[in-house]
């Protein structure tokens, strides 16, 4: 069954409600985080929906115990609290025992921009992708959220759904196939954006702006972080000279690292620039775009950074011949030489 | 083979002799490996013997995944030395595997692992087991099954906050099918619990959280069987906490009630003394 959704929690919990209505072994736990859709669970499925209180460590171990008893468990809470607070429980009690537990983390990056570092989810992606056996979805669209729930229900192991509330620029048909884990949304010969989650829409908007300046930017939507579809990502990046990763996450360990690892291990010639939170905490108060601007993740910032990179490369091309002729002492310029001569 | 509780099991000498045999085998296993956690393994040894040999735990070594078996979660997963000896002795895996404890290629490591037949969960990081046990007990309730879930906790472990999250949770769900046994040996890894983050009055704390609490001598089989004898017939909607007062390293005089008993093995004459005690 596929439906078109226009709200993230609806896509998640309406889909889950349909599944739970058919399977009495499906249990939904919330760590005292709400959603409008929970009302239906409370009234129609009272033996399958429970608020276990503000105790995330216990929520995860209880979920593991329920799974060991034969249940398929979904745990919902604010992303930071259902990952950082109880990371070891997820690692040992759920992932290490390969149990069918799905953690639904509400919010990504600066979803709560005015709430300070306690509510900035700028390291979750880096952490969860270190857990062996965990499938990690980072949807950019309501249809992917619904598909991730269906996939998690079918899976025999653990899943993490890193879910933003959007808005998303709806890109996919409700019945689209997301088993590839990534989609090339747009092609461009000058630069390739790799984005995930809510930042895919940002990348698409940035690509449109850059096109107006004559810069052709491609966009890859990486919506399944793990398991990563390595061959397809390698293939999608194979013709790129410049890759820009865009994430509302620390540049260490998240999407940018993932792409660098892939490019390096595949021996691709692309240079990679990682746009993300520059390994810092932000105590600034702003709206979401304002918070993004602090690290150049706003539309103006992306346009500026990519534009500068292009201009810099163009300038280097002009300057390279004399430098090369006298023997450059700057390794990065020698690298540029090979790029130009190629 | 389903073990049934037998009112005639109050043959405490028989269990004490059995317990000595288990401890001695665990000592030899640890010495052979040069590894182990004898202190915490020996403080809860008598409880494990009562559970696995006295019919308190309904289990079937021939069918370790029997759906209606009682579950035992050894939350203090480092205390697996005596558990592994018991599981081998009961037939979950060949006893000769004990000679490969902590050796390369063996499935018997220094903490509990789910891959070991008869072991329900991995454990070794403290504070996880009670929540998992509560989830299992809750799952049994939701599925209409009537197995019991036993969880053996350390008292050093009880300094972890997650234990108290689970302590709040289990009575809320009226998990009368959950039995926690606190191995109250009064020692953590380095110090006495009451000198670091004191637990006393521990019985009052569990009672205040909504548990039925029974305090026993954890090395007295009459006490153990009396406290646990009704677990399959009690109809209370409250989880049960057995505070088992024990001695860390019980059976190895050189280690008894000493902080270094956590992962120190006896040496030289200490070994001979222990062997004499455990024969």
């Amino acid at each position: 069954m596929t439906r078109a959704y226009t709200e993230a929690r609806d896509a998640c919990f309406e889909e889950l409600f349909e599944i739970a209505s058919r399977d009495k072994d499906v249990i939904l736990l919330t760590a005292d985080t709400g959603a409008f859709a929970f009302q239906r669970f409370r009234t129609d499925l009272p033996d399958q929906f429970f608020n276990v209180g503000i105790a995330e460590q216990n929520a995860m171990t209880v979920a593991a115990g329920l799974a060991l008893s034969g249940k398929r468990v979904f745990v919902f809470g604010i992303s930071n609290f259902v990952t950082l607070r109880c990371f070891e429980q997820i690692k040992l009690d759920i992932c290490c025992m390969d149990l069918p537990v799905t953690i639904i983390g509400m919010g990504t990056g600066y979803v709560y921009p005015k709430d300070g570092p306690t509510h900035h989810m700028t390291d979750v992606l880096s952490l969860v992708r270190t857990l062996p056996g965990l499938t990690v979805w980072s949807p950019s669209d309501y249809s992917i959220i619904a598909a991730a729930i269906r996939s998690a229900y079918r899976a025999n192991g653990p899943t993490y759904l890193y879910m933003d509330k959007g808005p998303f620029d709806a890109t996919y048909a409700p019945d689209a196939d997301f088993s590839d884990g990534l989609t090339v949304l747009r092609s461009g010969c000058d630069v390739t954006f790799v984005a995930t989650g809510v930042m895919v829409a940002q990348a698409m908007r940035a690509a449109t702006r850059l096109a107006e300046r004559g810069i052709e930017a491609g966009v890859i939507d990486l919506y399944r972080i793990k398991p990563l579809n390595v061959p397809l990502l390698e293939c999608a990046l194979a013709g790129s000279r410049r890759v820009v990763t865009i994430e509302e996450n620390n540049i260490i360990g998240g999407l940018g690292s993932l792409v660098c690892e892939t490019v390096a291990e595949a021996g691709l010639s692309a240079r990679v620039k990682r746009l993300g939170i520059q390994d810092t905490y932000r105590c600034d108060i702003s709206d979401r775009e304002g918070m993004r601007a602090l690290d150049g993740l706003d539309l103006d910032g992306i346009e500026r950074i990519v534009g500068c990179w292009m201009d810099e490369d163009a300038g280097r091309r002009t300057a390279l011949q004399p430098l090369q002729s006298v023997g450059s002492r700057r390794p990065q310029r020698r690298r540029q030489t090979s790029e130009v001569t190629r | 083979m389903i073990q049934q509780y037998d009112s005639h099991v109050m043959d405490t000498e028989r269990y004490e002799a059995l317990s000595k045999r288990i401890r001695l085998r665990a000592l030899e296993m640890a010495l052979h490996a040069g590894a182990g956690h004898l202190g915490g393994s020996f403080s809860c040894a008598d409880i494990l013997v009562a559970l696995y040999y006295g019919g308190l735990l309904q289990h079937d070594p021939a069918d370790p995944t029997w759906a209606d078996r009682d579950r035992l979660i050894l939350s203090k997963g480092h205390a697996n030395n005596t558990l592994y000896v018991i599981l081998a002795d009961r037939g979950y895996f060949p006893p000769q595997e004990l000679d490969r404890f902590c050796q390369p290629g063996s499935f018997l490591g220094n903490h509990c692992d789910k891959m070991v037949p008869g072991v329900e969960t991995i454990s070794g990081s403290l504070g996880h087991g009670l929540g998992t046990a509560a989830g299992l007990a809750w799952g049994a309730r939701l599925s209409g099954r009537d197995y019991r879930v036993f969880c053996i906790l350390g008292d050093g472990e009880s300094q972890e906050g997650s234990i108290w999250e689970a302590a709040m949770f289990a009575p809320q769900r009226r998990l009368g099918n959950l039995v926690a046994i606190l191995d109250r040996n009064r020692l953590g890894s380095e110090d006495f619990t009451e000198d670091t983050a004191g637990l006393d009055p521990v019985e009052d704390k569990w009672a205040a959280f909504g548990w039925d609490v029974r305090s026993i001598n954890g090395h007295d089989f009459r006490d153990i069987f009396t406290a646990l004898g009704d677990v399959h017939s009690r109809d209370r909607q409250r989880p049960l906490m057995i505070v088992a007062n024990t001695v860390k390293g019980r059976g190895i005089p050189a280690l008894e009630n000493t902080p270094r008993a956590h992962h120190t093995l006896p040496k030289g004459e200490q070994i001979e003394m222990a062997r004499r005690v455990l024969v």
Side-chain angles (χ1 to χ4, degrees):
Chain A
M1 186 210 70
T2 52
R3 294 167 54 181
Y5 295 100
T6 56
E7 208 279 328
R9 294 191 204 204
D10 286 350
C12 178
F13 295 115
E14 293 297 322
E15 205 69 27
L16 187 55
F17 182 85
E18 297 298 328
I19 291 168
S21 298
R22 295 192 305 270
D23 184 347
K24 297 302 175 193
D25 280 332
V26 171
I27 302 288
L28 172 59
L29 307 178
T30 175
D32 205 36
T33 303
F36 180 75
F38 288 172
Q39 200 52 45
R40 286 183 73 194
F41 281 89
R42 287 184 196 278
T43 55
D44 296 354
L45 302 172
D47 294 331
Q48 293 171 260
F49 171 75
F50 304 93
N51 184 347
V52 294
I54 307 167
E56 291 82 7
Q57 295 177 85
N58 191 57
M60 295 307 161
T61 51
V62 165
L66 285 168
L68 287 167
S69 79
K71 304 297 183 185
R72 306 185 78 79
V73 190
F74 292 75
V75 188
F76 178 64
I78 291 175
S79 287
N80 272 354
F81 309 146
V82 292
T83 53
L84 312 185
R85 184 78 177 210
C86 47
F87 191 71
E88 194 187 60
Q89 279 79 9
I90 298 172
K91 172 188 168 185
L92 296 175
D93 302 309
I94 295 173
C95 294
C96 194
M97 292 201 284
D98 198 25
L99 294 176
V101 175
T102 298
I103 299 159
I104 303 168
M106 185 65 231
T108 73
Y110 288 130
V111 68
Y112 303 122
K114 300 172 183 174
D115 290 64
T118 58
H119 285 60
H120 294 164
M121 302 167 193
T122 52
D123 36 25
V124 170
L125 207 55
S126 306
L127 283 165
V128 295
R129 69 175 281 258
T130 66
L131 292 172
L134 184 68
T135 295
V136 180
W137 292 92
S138 174
S140 61
D141 180 81
Y142 307 110
S143 297
I144 302 177
I145 293 174
I149 290 291
R150 292 193 295 272
S151 173
Y153 171 65
R154 290 192 301 269
N156 288 321
T159 298
Y160 181 72
L161 174 55
Y162 190 42
M163 183 175 75
D164 203 274
K165 65 183 180 183
F168 302 121
D169 294 348
T171 308
Y172 300 99
D175 60 350
D177 178 8
F178 299 106
S179 56
D180 278 347
L182 64 94
T183 298
V184 177
L185 292 177
R186 177 181 177 130
S187 297
C189 58
D190 294 318
V191 61
T192 302
F193 290 141
V194 183
T196 192
V198 74
M199 295 305 279
V200 172
Q202 188 84 333
M204 289 294 282
R205 287 191 286 269
T208 301
R209 274 212 201 179
L210 288 166
E212 294 166 2
R213 291 178 51 176
I215 298 172
E216 294 301 320
V219 177
I220 296 172
D221 176 4
L222 189 57
Y223 45 78
R224 195 185 63 218
I225 300 294
K226 201 172 183 180
L228 178 65
N229 189 336
V230 176
L232 191 57
L233 182 58
E234 285 178 5
C235 185
L237 295 176
S240 305
R241 285 184 301 165
R242 300 175 196 85
V243 174
V244 176
T245 59
I246 304 178
E247 60 188 316
E248 265 186 356
N249 187 79
N250 195 323
I251 56 167
I252 296 176
L255 179 74
S257 295
L258 178 155
V259 169
C260 286
E261 292 157 15
T262 305
V263 166
E265 291 193 344
L268 302 180
S269 59
R271 293 168 62 200
V272 181
K273 194 176 286 290
R274 293 171 296 155
L275 300 192
I277 316 301
Q278 299 297 311
D279 198 26
T280 188
Y281 301 104
R282 295 293 187 191
C283 295
D284 309 73
I285 307 298
S286 186
D287 58 17
R288 195 166 191 176
E289 194 70 355
M291 294 304 296
R292 288 171 177 168
L294 298 170
D295 289 290
L297 287 168
D298 60 323
L299 277 179
D300 288 345
I302 296 171
E303 184 181 7
R304 184 181 64 251
I305 291 168
V306 173
C308 285
W309 196 13
M310 297 292 293
D311 293 344
E312 186 181 314
D313 277 3
R316 281 181 182 171
R317 285 191 187 95
T318 310
L320 282 173
Q321 289 306 324
L323 277 172
Q324 181 68 12
S325 63
V326 296
S328 172
R329 287 169 293 178
R330 302 175 67 176
Q332 67 270 36
R333 297 227 169 184
R334 280 202 296 272
R335 186 154 63 89
Q336 286 304 303
T337 303
S338 63
E339 188 175 302
V340 172
T341 52
R342 186 179 66 245
Chain B
M1 179 181 67
I2 302 172
Q3 303 292 318
Q4 295 293 341
Y5 177 67
D6 181 346
S7 59
H8 300 294
V9 294
M10 291 301 187
D11 179 2
T12 56
E13 286 185 6
R14 181 181 138 215
Y15 287 102
E16 284 164 3
L18 184 55
S19 232
K20 281 186 177 179
R21 181 167 69 81
I22 297 296
R23 280 188 172 91
L24 184 59
R25 185 68 185 88
L27 171 66
E28 302 298 353
M29 179 184 80
L31 291 173
H32 181 71
H37 295 89
L38 294 176
S41 294
F42 280 25
S43 58
C44 64
D46 298 314
I47 293 158
L48 288 170
V49 165
L51 287 168
Y52 278 93
Y53 295 87
L56 299 175
L57 187 80
Q58 297 195 347
H59 67 121
D60 183 358
D63 184 8
T65 60
W66 171 40
D68 287 322
R69 71 193 182 282
D70 289 341
R71 272 67 165 175
L72 181 125
I73 308 289
L74 186 62
S75 189
K76 44 176 293 184
H78 57 279
N80 63 1
N81 297 188
T82 42
L83 176 66
Y84 283 180
V85 171
I86 289 169
L87 290 175
D89 191 56
R90 300 264 42 188
Y92 281 93
F93 53 84
Q96 51 267 39
E97 188 64 27
L98 298 174
D99 295 329
R100 288 165 28 88
F101 175 68
C102 283
Q103 302 299 312
S106 174
F107 58 80
L108 301 180
N110 220 2
H111 293 89
C112 279
D113 194 320
K114 194 174 185 294
M115 74 167 66
V116 178
V119 173
E120 301 286 352
T121 65
I122 63 163
S123 57
S125 180
L126 299 175
H128 293 228
L130 189 59
T132 308
L136 260 168
W138 193 21
R141 278 285 171 82
L142 293 171
S143 300
R145 294 186 178 275
D146 65 357
Y147 59 78
R148 295 292 189 268
V149 183
F150 295 84
C151 180
I152 298 181
L153 296 170
D155 55 358
E157 173 179 30
S158 300
Q159 294 173 330
E160 296 278 8
S162 51
I163 291 293
W164 299 97
E165 290 186 9
M168 277 188 285
F169 174 81
Q172 181 75 28
R173 293 293 155 197
R174 303 183 177 191
L175 300 179
N177 55 345
L178 173 63
V179 180
I181 302 169
L182 178 64
D183 182 6
R184 183 71 167 124
N185 61 32
R186 309 189 78 84
L187 274 160
S189 178
E190 298 292 321
D191 282 302
F192 290 93
T193 57
E194 302 315 289
D195 292 339
T196 54
L199 296 168
D200 281 334
V202 72
E203 289 90 349
D204 293 348
K205 288 177 179 169
W206 286 95
F209 275 65
W211 292 61
D212 282 347
V213 181
R214 298 170 183 171
S215 187
I216 64 169
N217 176 344
H219 300 304
D220 183 326
F221 281 100
R222 191 167 298 274
D223 257 21
I224 297 170
F225 282 116
T226 300
L228 288 169
D230 68 343
V231 290
H232 286 278
S233 58
R234 69 192 284 272
D235 57 1
R236 297 272 291 174
Q237 296 295 300
R238 291 152 67 98
L240 176 61
M241 163 56 75
I242 307 291
V243 177
N245 293 288
T246 59
V247 176
K248 193 155 189 171
R250 167 86 168 195
I252 304 175
L255 298 186
E256 285 187 0
N257 201 35
T258 62
R260 68 177 185 279
H262 183 67
H263 45 54
T264 299
L265 301 179
K267 298 177 179 65
E269 176 53 29
Q270 296 173 347
I271 296 172
E272 296 311 315
M273 189 183 301
R275 284 174 175 155
R276 286 194 293 273
V277 168
L278 294 174
V279 168

